[in-house]
């Protein structure tokens, strides 16, 4: 599984946990969370680092709009600790990413 694919799965899992607990959805996501998840996927597809992508909270390129950024931060803060139990393997990969140093984009001359 590629870096971006894995990141998408992590986002999906986190949004699912958050939506389930906060919006009381039993299967799938509510419209709001679905839109946010879709937005996150598109940001990932557009990530300039591709497979070298750092963990988003360490990234130096702030590619989310202010509003979406706030929502995803909230979701990650809530779902992050809960991930370990439900998705141990994904969390492990995610933790490893947190220790990697964020690369910088090369300045264009
Ligand atoms: Zn929701």
């Amino acid at each position: 599984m590629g870096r971006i694919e894995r990141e998408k799965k992590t986002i999906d899992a986190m949004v699912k946990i958050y939506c389930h607990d906060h919006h009381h959805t039993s299967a799938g996501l509510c419209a709001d969370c679905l839109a946010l998840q879709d937005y996150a996927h598109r940001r990932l597809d557009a990530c300039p680092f591709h497979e070298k992508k750092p963990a988003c909270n360490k990234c130096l390129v702030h590619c989310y709009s202010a509003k979406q950024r706030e929502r995803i931060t909230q979701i990650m803060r809530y779902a992050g600790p809960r991930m370990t139990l439900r998705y141990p393997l994904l969390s492990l990969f995610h933790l490893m990413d947190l220790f990697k140093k964020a690369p910088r984009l090369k300045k264009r001359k």
Side-chain angles (χ1 to χ4, degrees):
M1 205 196 303
R3 180 82 186 75
I4 298 293
E5 273 316 298
R6 184 154 54 73
E7 196 85 4
K8 281 181 186 171
K9 280 206 163 51
T10 309
I11 294 267
D12 290 358
M14 285 188 175
V15 175
K16 206 168 160 187
I17 291 172
Y18 185 88
C19 188
H20 179 85
D21 289 3
H22 285 79
H23 309 137
H24 311 292
T25 39
S26 49
L29 300 171
C30 71
D32 275 359
C33 292
L34 199 64
L36 184 67
Q37 180 186 291
D38 190 54
Y39 179 83
H41 281 197
R42 273 183 284 133
R43 297 322 309 163
L44 280 171
D45 284 335
C47 180
F49 299 116
H50 304 289
E51 296 301 310
K52 288 201 174 80
K53 202 188 96 42
C56 281
N57 60 350
K58 273 204 170 178
C59 194
L60 301 167
V61 178
H62 298 300
C63 66
Y64 279 55
S65 71
K67 194 176 155 236
Q68 304 284 37
R69 191 179 155 78
E70 197 182 304
R71 289 189 61 200
I72 205 85
T73 307
Q74 212 176 16
I75 289 176
M76 285 181 175
R77 207 171 287 154
Y78 177 81
R82 287 159 179 84
M83 282 283 290
T84 342
L85 288 172
R86 296 193 218 181
Y87 304 90
L89 203 60
L90 273 180
S91 319
L92 185 68
F93 279 130
H94 195 63
L95 277 177
M96 278 162 25
D97 293 333
L98 289 177
F99 288 108
K100 275 187 213 148
K101 224 176 144 221
R104 283 174 188 279
L105 275 182
K106 283 189 193 99
K107 284 210 178 78
R108 288 200 190 102
K109 279 175 192 164

